[in-house]
Amino acid sequence: GGAGVFAYGNGTAYVSNTTITTAQDTSGGIHVAGGGTLYAWDLTVETSGESAEAIRSDRGSGTMVVDGGSYTSNGVGSPAVYSTADITVHNAALASTGSEAVCIEGLNTLRLFDCDLSGNMSDLEQNDCTWNVILYQSMSGDSQVGNSTFEMVGGSLTAQNGGMFYTTNTESTFLLSGVDITGAADSKFLLRCTGNANQRGWGASGANGADCHFTGSDQALDGDVIWDSISSLDFYLTQGSVLTGAVLQDESCAGDGGDGYANLYIEEGSTWVVTGDSVLTSLQCAGTVVDADGNTVSITGADGTVYVSGTSPYTITVQSYSATPDLSGASTPDLWSDYEAVRP
């Protein structure tokens, strides 16, 4: 099916104060591909077909800036936003009633400023897990291989089902700052940074992990962080952020394993509230590490070295520990004004 408004190649589309409704499969609401550019203000967009995202992009990338409005996808496999482009959205309501909230593939970006975002993905046998926001590389040719970026500043993020963030078979960057996050009642993770079983052709089994940088800046984060040895994870807590959860190593999709790692960096003033025994490669902490009762958590080296002797029943096992975190890899929030377009 056709999109409501479509920009391709050298084309630039401007659309404002318009209602767009589509019913067919692959009929996105607003859509860029092939390098097209689209600017939108205060739209009301609703789609109902499969693979029919309210905000949609396709092969060849493009640029989209959206300011205000409501964008709802109702079909199966139809996130509110599907990004194979550079997309920035401000002050909008974004919802998927039958799919994950966001899908970003390959060398592409989604920035959300003061948006309300929600998803409701079904549990499917072909998937290793269920997620609300995915950064990945499908190998379909829809996007150039490279770093996928998801940035959300302010607003709210809600998952009706499954875990919150999943990254696999790609390089990826997540930045959350000041977002009101509500996980699903059955959520199994905050972040899953692992390989996958290749049931959908996402890379070669045992070699399709993720290389992920995740930053929480002035951010409350709730849920477990899962990683494997074919992935690399650098997780930063800055500007008074709080992570409540455990960090778990899960080798179920790692094949014969690899040389991956999971490093956690905690800035002074930030806190990790540990909810279970955890495994990290490196913990660099100038902040606080306690359990939910305020007890100090033991930090022990894999070689038996006791770095911190705590009173909590939980233990963090690490390869290395430092009280001076290297925060040079942490992301900092962008400003909407850097992307805002003037309405013609």
Side-chain angles (χ1 to χ4, degrees), residues 17-18 40-45 55 66-72 89-95 114-116 343:
N17 298 104
T18 301
W41 294 268
D42 300 320
L43 306 184
T44 300
V45 176
I55 298 176
V66 178
D67 191 359
S70 173
Y71 305 81
T72 303
V89 186
H90 170 252
N91 193 31
L94 310 165
D114 297 318
C115 291
D116 294 320
R343 191 184 306 220

Side-chain angles (χ1 to χ4, degrees), residues 125-147:
E125 290 185 4
Q126 64 181 336
N127 295 325
D128 302 321
C129 61
T130 304
W131 56 83
N132 198 42
V133 174
I134 184 171
L135 277 59
Y136 79 122
Q137 178 61 250
S138 73
M139 311 306 292
S140 67
D142 284 347
S143 67
Q144 182 179 345
V145 173
N147 192 87

Side-chain angles (χ1 to χ4, degrees), residues 142-161:
D142 284 347
S143 67
Q144 182 179 345
V145 173
N147 192 87
S148 302
T149 300
F150 175 78
E151 177 180 5
M152 189 168 187
V153 179
S156 66
L157 173 60
T158 302
Q160 301 292 341
N161 188 41

Side-chain angles (χ1 to χ4, degrees), residues 4 51 62 84 91-92 109 112-113 143 155 157 159 164 180 187 193 203 209 211 231 256 259 288 295 332 334 336:
S51 299
T84 56
N91 193 31
T109 297
L112 302 177
F113 297 95
S143 67
L157 173 60
M164 188 60 71
D180 182 4
S187 177
C193 172
D211 182 355
S231 300
D256 295 330
D259 298 323
T288 302
N295 298 311
T332 56
D334 289 319
W336 160 241

